[in-house]
Amino acid sequence: MTNQTDHSPARGTESGPVGRFLRATELDPRLLGMVGALALIWLAFEAYSTFVLGRPSMLLGASQVEANGFLTPRNLWNLSVQTAYIGIMATGMVLVIVTRNIDLSVGSIMGMVGMYMGLLQVEYLTPALGLGHPSIWIITALFGVAMGALIGAFQGAMIAFLGIPAFIVTLGGLLVWRGAAFLVAGGKTIAPLDERFSLIGGGSFGALGRTGSWIFAVIACVFVVWIFLSGRKARKLHDFPLRPVWAETFVIGLICAIILGAAALVNAYIWPPGNIAKYYTSLGQEVPACAQRGGDIFSDVCASFSHGFAYPVLILIAVAIGMTILMTRTRFGRYVFAIGGNPEAATLSGINTRIMTVKIFTLMGGLAGIAAIIGAARQNSATNAMGNLDELYVIAAAVVGGTSLAGGVGTIYGAIIGALILTSLQTGMVLIGFGDGSYQRIVIGIALVLAVYLDILYRKRIK
């Protein structure tokens, strides 16, 4: 049985300084490869936008107001928010693909759930509870997750108990749920949505801000240290091999440096002057000069209005942690990899593969519901087009992130990095002038095929 913790080094890295370093730190070579690919994509778009298109970059000393390069706080902040809902669904797609199934309906589920959440708010909750009632967003969010989970359970039951292939069931779901999303509102856009609900989608007001982001980063670093110390203690208890102290310190330091660097980056993105003015107006206070026309946005007053980590990114982090624990620390996760490794052997060993299939697709549907919440909140509306073709990007993110279509292999962090790679390609092409969706689909298609080919080569190399 192959699982997430199986990081067998490829041939050629078993000896020498690189091999010894990877063995000591237990870093996954495939993870390093994905991070390297992401870095190359970022640097390529930054170089093209800066030196070919002549757009000023903050790397060259331009101000935030002037900078239009790829590696700017504004662009990377928006990139993180755009990655969130794809990454959330990709974590669920890992489970589906690991068990040798596929779900082509997640984008349509997202669109349908979004439309029903919009209708729930506009036609039922607001008239019943009153405009701006604080419980509207809570009821809507719970409804969205529950609806997505029910749809997923329904599809999973057909796959498990009726013996219909997952490809056919979810292909039918892609058409049925998209059609239902159109019919429920006659193709109309439902807007605006509840103000508190809209904060879930991010934006200047839908983020932690400067202080909250630094507090979050510090807490995250403390959590990382605790996780590593607990793991070391558990290894000692069970007489498992320990990482060298220097290797453990290096990995902890690297992760904390990434967390703190991310906090500094999102805090470098300052609110637009109009949002700062809106904030002061809502408090009944005088708008500072820096937020007025021609004001210095980098003055002490306005510079303190940092975006910080957006709520969708925090939701993605929470989902990623929960899914990682589920896949690596629970019986459910072991069963998932057992089914993916050998379904027949899993059945003979006593695993109820039918119930597991229903549970996996229920979870996938619930995650699509969470993605619908973020998508509708970010747009502040419910549209029939929401989630259109996102199922392809979700599947591609999981595969690019190292999930094998042959089953049995997949990682949560890989799927998120895969989502970030795909979103970076989309955002970068828009930035350099290739905003047409046709170009984006061509590039995503090439990336998907290349990822599968590299996975085949990797498997041959480690055998």
Side-chain angles (χ1 to χ4, degrees), residues 148-387:
L150 286 173
I151 294 174
F154 174 67
Q155 294 186 152
M158 287 195 291
I159 296 166
F161 295 101
L162 299 182
I164 307 174
F167 180 89
I168 298 300
V169 171
T170 58
L171 178 60
L174 181 152
L175 302 172
V176 170
W177 310 131
R178 181 63 63 188
F182 182 88
L183 292 175
V184 70
K188 296 182 294 184
T189 296
I190 302 173
L193 302 182
D194 178 70
E195 288 187 1
R196 289 185 178 87
F197 179 81
S198 297
L199 295 179
I200 303 174
S204 299
F205 301 101
L208 285 183
R210 180 184 298 273
T211 303
S213 294
W214 282 120
I215 292 174
F216 174 80
V218 171
I219 293 174
C221 286
V222 171
F223 178 73
V224 168
V225 173
W226 177 79
I227 286 291
F228 275 85
L229 292 179
S230 299
R232 191 174 185 86
K233 183 178 179 181
R235 288 188 176 201
K236 285 183 179 180
L237 182 64
H238 297 91
D239 293 326
F240 288 167
L242 299 177
R243 288 192 190 97
V245 175
W246 70 263
E248 198 115 298
T249 304
F250 171 81
V251 175
I252 292 174
L254 177 63
I255 296 175
C256 288
I258 293 173
I259 293 172
L260 295 174
L265 175 69
V266 295
N267 281 333
Y269 181 27
I270 301 173
W271 287 17
N275 285 4
I276 298 176
K278 182 179 179 181
Y279 172 78
Y280 276 95
T281 300
S282 66
L283 297 178
Q285 299 180 10
E286 181 180 356
V287 177
C290 61
Q292 298 176 9
R293 185 182 297 275
D296 179 14
I297 192 66
F298 297 103
S299 68
D300 292 340
V301 175
C302 288
S304 64
F305 284 86
S306 299
H307 281 76
F309 290 107
Y311 293 158
V313 176
L314 299 179
I315 296 173
L316 171 61
I317 293 172
V319 168
I321 293 173
M323 291 292 289
T324 299
I325 294 173
L326 180 69
M327 293 291 284
T328 61
R329 296 290 184 268
T330 67
R331 181 185 300 175
F332 178 88
R334 292 192 294 271
Y335 285 179
V336 167
F337 285 110
I339 294 171
N342 191 323
E344 292 78 14
T347 301
L348 292 174
S349 66
I351 298 175
N352 191 330
T353 55
R354 291 183 175 181
I355 295 299
M356 283 294 298
T357 299
V358 175
K359 289 181 179 179
I360 290 168
F361 277 89
T362 299
L363 181 59
M364 182 71 257
L367 293 172
I370 295 175
I373 294 169
I374 294 175
R378 182 163 172 76
Q379 298 175 10
N380 194 26
S381 63
T383 67
N384 183 59
M386 188 173 70

Side-chain angles (χ1 to χ4, degrees), residues 396 399-400 421-422 425 442-452:
V399 174
V400 169
I421 289 174
L422 296 182
L425 289 172
I442 290 172
V443 172
I444 298 304
I446 293 172
L448 177 60
V449 175
L450 180 62
V452 174

Side-chain angles (χ1 to χ4, degrees), residues 9-21:
R11 291 176 185 172
T13 64
E14 295 176 356
S15 60
V18 175
R20 290 193 296 270
F21 174 80

